[in-house]
Amino acid sequence: MEKDNRANFGSKLGIILATAGSAVGLGNIWRFPYMTGDNGGAAFIFVYIMCVFLLGIPCIVNEFIIGRYSASNTARAYRKLSNGTPWAIIGYIGVLTGFLVTSYYSVVSGWCLQYIYASAAGHLKGDPQFFASYFADFEKDPIKPVIWAVVILVITHLIIIRGVKEGIEKASKALMPALFVILIILVVSACMLPNAWEGIEFLFKPDFSKVSKDLFLGALGQAFFSLSIGMGCLCTFASYFTKDTDLTNSAVQISVIDTVVAILAGLLIFPAAFSIGVSPDSGPSLIFITLPNVFEQAFSSVPIIGYIVAISFYILLSLAALTSLISLHEVSTAFFHEEMNINRKTAATIVTVICSVIAALCSLSLSDWDAISIGGKPLFDILDYLTGQILLPVGGFLTCLFVGWYLPKKIVRDEYTNYGTMRGKFFNIYLSCVKYLCPALILLIFLHQIGVI
Ligand code: PHE
């Protein structure tokens, strides 16, 4: 049977690290710390953790169940389970979203590579104005960002073509520990700076007066993106899980790792920024404009440390981006490999080439050429909006309905309990979340994101 020939991850640790690698990405470093700092510190973290438990973990388990049961790429997985009904479309939406996210995510990942180079070469020196114009000039350059995006896609490609065990699992086992070590060293360095305490306080001091509808919906949306829900990454990885993998336990472990990394990123950014009296923002301007300046100034008494911290920070970002890109690339590679009946290498090559072309167009849409805009918005922004705000919530929402209301309960229970070998203590709670609570929450995020509520 096709199931038996299919690759599997070789170990539980490999499963956790590869899937956590998908979850831990740029979202953890450039958005979570800022959202926490700006939305009531510990109060936000508390709400966020609630969102992870109520929404994140059930949605992760959904995708794990579909992926492992069908042992196929995302499109075929939903098709197999939907018995000719239109539910099959969810899988295709996932693959399409994977393609689009891979393309624009690789552009930002490429920027991280450029900044490793620029900090190593000693180019990142100057006043705040310099950092702003350095980034603006780089972003507008028609050639350099395209080259870096292709470079990171090729690195991803070289990992993917080695297969699930030898490529994805081995790479995750090397990259994720490296990421943790660099992160911890950076956190310790930042927390030892003068006035670091103010940053720590800003991050953690609970301010419950800030808990509002916007904060709650923001936390939900962030949990969704940060855990890589709604687009087939988790489903594809789960198709390589072994039958004895405890799905709920794995979902909890991955969520905890993802949240801890996000909080640690805050413990790196805020103490460093507060030590020189800068108030950090979020998104690309935080990591490419504010932070290089912060590192330079905060460690100005021992410049070599500032130099090493800056290089390490961009290596950290690149590792986080790369492990997410691997999972994104795998969604499309598995799709072409299995649906077109071509070998894995050819499938991966098709994906890398198509994504390189879309990534180049995305990058060019931000440059002076600006030929690729729709309705006055650069293609980059359109893909970001279309995937993050629309396709991911739609994918997650439909998956909840599919698992909660359409799939035979027996299949869901069997997968949840590993065919009765585990008790599945929380099965009923999980199923109620998936049927009622999660679709309602996702609907709220969606309406919030498109500005209706
Ligand atoms: N979770 C990743 C991050 O936080 C982004 C991502 C989304 C990766 C969807 C894969 C799929 O950056």
Side-chain angles (χ1 to χ4, degrees):
M1 238 181 87
E2 127 193 53
K3 255 183 191 177
D4 300 326
N5 303 329
R6 225 160 166 274
N8 274 137
F9 284 115
S11 67
K12 293 218 164 69
L13 182 68
I15 287 177
I16 298 295
L17 290 181
T19 320
S22 170
V24 171
L26 296 170
N28 299 57
I29 300 170
W30 86 20
R31 234 174 119 225
F32 180 87
Y34 173 78
M35 290 184 88
T36 308
D38 211 35
N39 286 301
F44 178 83
I45 296 181
F46 177 74
V47 173
Y48 181 81
I49 291 174
M50 297 256 299
C51 295
V52 166
F53 272 87
L54 293 176
L55 175 76
I57 293 174
C59 286
I60 297 178
V61 174
N62 283 345
E63 294 190 29
F64 280 178
I65 286 178
I66 296 170
R68 191 177 64 173
Y69 177 81
S70 47
S72 325
N73 70 82
T74 302
R76 188 178 298 180
Y78 282 85
R79 206 170 63 223
K80 258 186 191 173
L81 284 164
S82 58
N83 293 319
T85 58
W87 287 108
I89 201 152
I90 312 172
Y92 291 92
I93 297 180
V95 175
L96 172 72
T97 314
F99 243 110
L100 301 179
V101 179
T102 314
S103 305
Y104 86 80
Y105 207 84
S106 61
V107 174
V108 187
S109 314
W111 296 349
C112 302
L113 293 186
Q114 156 76 20
Y115 270 67
I116 299 182
Y117 161 74
S119 42
H123 295 167
L124 297 182
K125 282 196 194 103
D127 55 14
Q129 199 51 45
F130 162 79
F131 288 104
S133 58
Y134 182 91
F135 180 63
D137 289 347
F138 168 67
E139 197 189 31
K140 286 202 169 357
D141 190 308
I143 315 272
K144 273 195 220 154
V146 174
I147 293 178
W148 285 118
V150 174
V151 167
I152 196 134
L153 278 170
V154 170
I155 297 174
T156 312
H157 176 90
L158 294 176
I159 294 171
I160 292 284
I161 54 172
R162 300 178 76 92
V164 174
K165 222 181 261 177
E166 290 300 308
I168 300 175
E169 182 168 350
K170 264 200 178 156
S172 307
K173 279 183 169 168
L175 299 177
M176 289 303 283
L179 184 149
F180 294 132
V181 171
I182 297 177
L183 183 58
I184 303 276
I185 294 176
L186 289 177
V187 168
V188 172
S189 321
C191 288
M192 278 165 45
L193 287 167
N195 293 333
W197 182 248
E198 277 178 38
I200 300 174
E201 203 177 274
F202 179 69
L203 186 66
F204 288 124
K205 205 166 126 195
D207 177 359
F208 286 98
S209 68
K210 292 233 172 110
V211 177
S212 63
K213 181 190 85 191
D214 282 354
L215 174 149
F216 181 68
L217 294 173
L220 274 176
Q222 171 67 9
F224 208 80
F225 182 79
S226 191
L227 293 170
S228 307
I229 295 164
M231 52 144 297
C233 278
L234 302 170
C235 175
T236 306
F237 271 12
S239 72
Y240 307 127
F241 285 5
T242 45
K243 284 288 169 205
D244 61 351
T245 307
D246 181 339
L247 300 184
T248 315
N249 210 358
S250 306
V252 172
Q253 289 177 21
I254 289 154
S255 306
V256 170
I257 295 176
D258 189 62
T259 307
V260 168
V261 169
I263 295 174
L264 285 175
L267 275 176
L268 153 63
I269 290 167
F270 284 99
F274 274 69
S275 79
I276 58 153
V278 166
S279 124
D281 47 359
S282 75
S285 63
L286 167 71
I287 55 177
F288 298 114
I289 299 175
T290 313
L291 286 181
N293 174 38
V294 165
F295 293 144
E296 200 201 359
Q297 289 193 39
F299 296 96
S300 58
S301 54
V302 199
I304 182 76
I305 297 189
Y307 175 79
I308 295 171
V309 164
I311 300 175
S312 312
F313 177 73
Y314 291 108
I315 294 177
L316 169 77
L317 275 175
S318 305
L319 292 180
L322 178 62
T323 50
S324 293
L325 269 180
I326 292 172
S327 71
L328 287 160
H329 197 296
E330 180 62 24
V331 174
S332 317
T333 300
F335 173 76
F336 281 118
H337 171 45
E338 292 171 5
E339 295 305 300
M340 290 171 56
N341 251 327
I342 47 179
N343 68 43
R344 213 181 137 80
K345 231 180 183 162
T346 316
T349 308
I350 296 176
V351 176
T352 304
V353 170
I354 300 180
C355 288
S356 298
V357 173
I358 308 178
L361 295 175
C362 269
S363 182
L364 287 175
S365 75
L366 297 172
S367 76
D368 285 333
W369 291 8
D370 192 20
I372 311 110
S373 292
I374 304 171
K377 284 205 167 233
L379 180 68
F380 182 92
D381 293 359
I382 292 173
L383 288 191
D384 182 14
Y385 181 80
L386 179 70
T387 53
Q389 319 278 325
I390 300 186
L391 293 174
L392 290 183
V394 167
F397 178 75
L398 293 176
T399 300
C400 284
L401 299 185
F402 182 60
V403 174
W405 296 94
Y406 177 78
L407 279 190
K409 201 167 162 185
K410 178 168 168 18
I411 293 185
V412 181
R413 188 191 288 276
D414 282 352
E415 282 298 326
Y416 190 95
T417 60
N418 286 355
Y419 291 80
T421 56
M422 290 177 339
R423 273 182 54 217
K425 263 189 285 177
F426 299 111
F427 182 71
N428 287 330
I429 300 180
Y430 154 73
L431 204 61
S432 314
C433 283
V434 169
K435 274 183 146 171
Y436 309 103
L437 184 68
C438 297
L441 291 177
I442 300 173
L443 200 63
L444 286 178
I445 307 178
F446 185 66
L447 294 176
H448 176 68
Q449 284 178 342
I450 60 170
V452 176
I453 55 169

